[in-house]
Amino acid sequence: MPEERKYWVPALEKADKVLAMLAAEPSRHKLIDLSKRLEINKSSMFSLLTTLEALQWVKRGEGDTYALGSAFAAYGSAYAKNYDLNRSFQAEAAAARDRLRETIQLARLEGNQVLYLGKAEAVSPVRLQSEPGMLLPAHATALGKAMLAQLGEDQLLRLFPEPALPALTPHTFTDREALFLQLREIRAQGCAFDDQESVMGFRCVAAVIPGGAGQAPAAVSCSMLLHQWETKGEDARAEITALARRLSEARS
């Protein structure tokens, strides 16, 4: 079995085929039409459409034909806002970068990982390894911890089912309970710090960008070399929390 099919869910593949057909040809197909066109037996198609309708992924209209449901309006809006957020970030982060003369980054939470979305890079002989599209463990980054701190304990336990966490450096939190304790502190103080937990020689401060319903948590951060932190750490905290507030207003 190919590696990409190891954890394949056939029912989801069938649902995807149904949704793709309804997106291309809305309100034209009944159950029997979908069954024949997609070569899915009627019993399976009935169960599939019943479930999709209950989830508001599809709706049954006049003549018992099907179209995409209202859930996709909410999903599409949330997806579009991620792009809007990135545009706002590029406009707003440049000023903060220039004042601090340090790189500013934007990310969102993807499960227990941080997905980097944007970067306003300062001119520096030392370049950060993280780039848009890159994933890093959320527990090892200030960005990730800022976003994880917004989640409830049940959600956190689902994301981190094991008590031991992987280390990126000798400073990474590897004990789940110690991480959860720090997340409570982050929730109270309004920003998160990373002291060489993801990259040796760097400190980082991050603040969450609150979002509305259906929006994935997002955050902004500033990283700098250890010797810069003594003089610019507090300024970085103030700039990043202010930037997060401005982006939250743009996101709402």
Side-chain angles (χ1 to χ4, degrees):
M1 178 185 295
E3 183 63 28
E4 66 270 16
R5 290 269 175 172
K6 185 176 179 180
Y7 302 108
W8 202 258
V9 181
L12 286 179
E13 183 177 23
K14 291 176 182 177
D16 180 68
K17 289 179 178 178
V18 170
L19 295 171
M21 179 168 285
L22 297 182
E25 301 175 350
S27 303
R28 288 183 56 183
H29 300 294
K30 298 181 181 181
L31 184 154
I32 189 65
D33 304 321
L34 293 167
S35 176
K36 289 178 179 177
R37 288 276 298 274
L38 298 174
E39 298 181 343
I40 299 171
N41 69 61
K42 286 190 290 184
S43 175
S44 295
M45 182 60 73
F46 175 80
S47 297
L48 195 58
L49 288 172
T50 299
T51 303
L52 292 174
E53 190 173 7
L55 294 171
Q56 298 183 330
W57 288 16
V58 306
K59 62 179 179 180
R60 185 168 49 176
E62 207 171 306
D64 288 332
T65 59
Y66 288 87
L68 294 182
S70 59
F72 283 95
Y75 298 157
S77 175
Y79 184 77
K81 283 181 179 178
N82 276 326
Y83 286 98
D84 292 342
L85 178 62
N86 206 347
R87 284 195 292 268
S88 298
F89 168 78
Q90 295 299 334
E92 292 282 353
R97 174 201 61 200
D98 293 345
R99 284 191 290 269
L100 291 170
R101 289 180 291 174
E102 300 291 347
T103 295
I104 312 293
Q105 298 187 97
L106 169 72
R108 74 162 185 258
L109 196 62
E110 287 280 336
N112 62 7
Q113 302 277 304
V114 165
L115 173 64
Y116 287 85
L117 299 175
K119 189 175 188 179
E121 193 158 25
V123 176
S124 171
V126 180
R127 198 166 184 271
L128 293 176
Q129 63 173 350
S130 49
E131 295 290 346
M134 186 175 178
L135 288 165
L136 283 178
H139 72 277
T141 68
L143 281 163
K145 290 189 288 183
M147 293 182 280
L148 291 172
Q150 309 307 305
L151 305 181
E153 189 168 341
D154 288 347
Q155 292 171 290
L156 290 171
L157 287 171
R158 284 195 293 272
L159 293 178
F160 301 102
E162 301 298 328
L165 306 173
L168 294 186
T169 77
H171 299 278
T172 308
F173 276 79
T174 57
D175 179 75
R176 182 180 64 185
E177 294 311 310
L179 172 68
F180 287 5
L181 179 62
Q182 191 187 52
L183 293 180
R184 287 194 284 273
E185 296 172 357
I186 290 167
R187 199 175 299 124
Q189 69 191 16
C191 59
F193 297 92
D194 158 5
D195 188 359
Q196 304 187 84
E197 293 160 49
S198 59
V199 181
M200 291 298 295
F202 279 86
R203 283 185 178 166
C204 181
V205 59
V208 75
I209 304 167
Q215 293 178 341
V220 286
S221 72
C222 175
S223 298
M224 64 184 70
L225 289 164
L226 289 179
H227 72 272
Q228 301 279 21
W229 189 264
E230 289 290 325
T231 55
K232 294 199 286 190
E234 186 55 34
D235 289 342
R237 185 202 62 78
E239 285 283 358
I240 288 301
T241 53
L243 175 60
R245 282 196 300 271
R246 293 196 299 274
L247 291 175
S248 177
E249 292 168 3
R251 200 180 194 200
S252 60

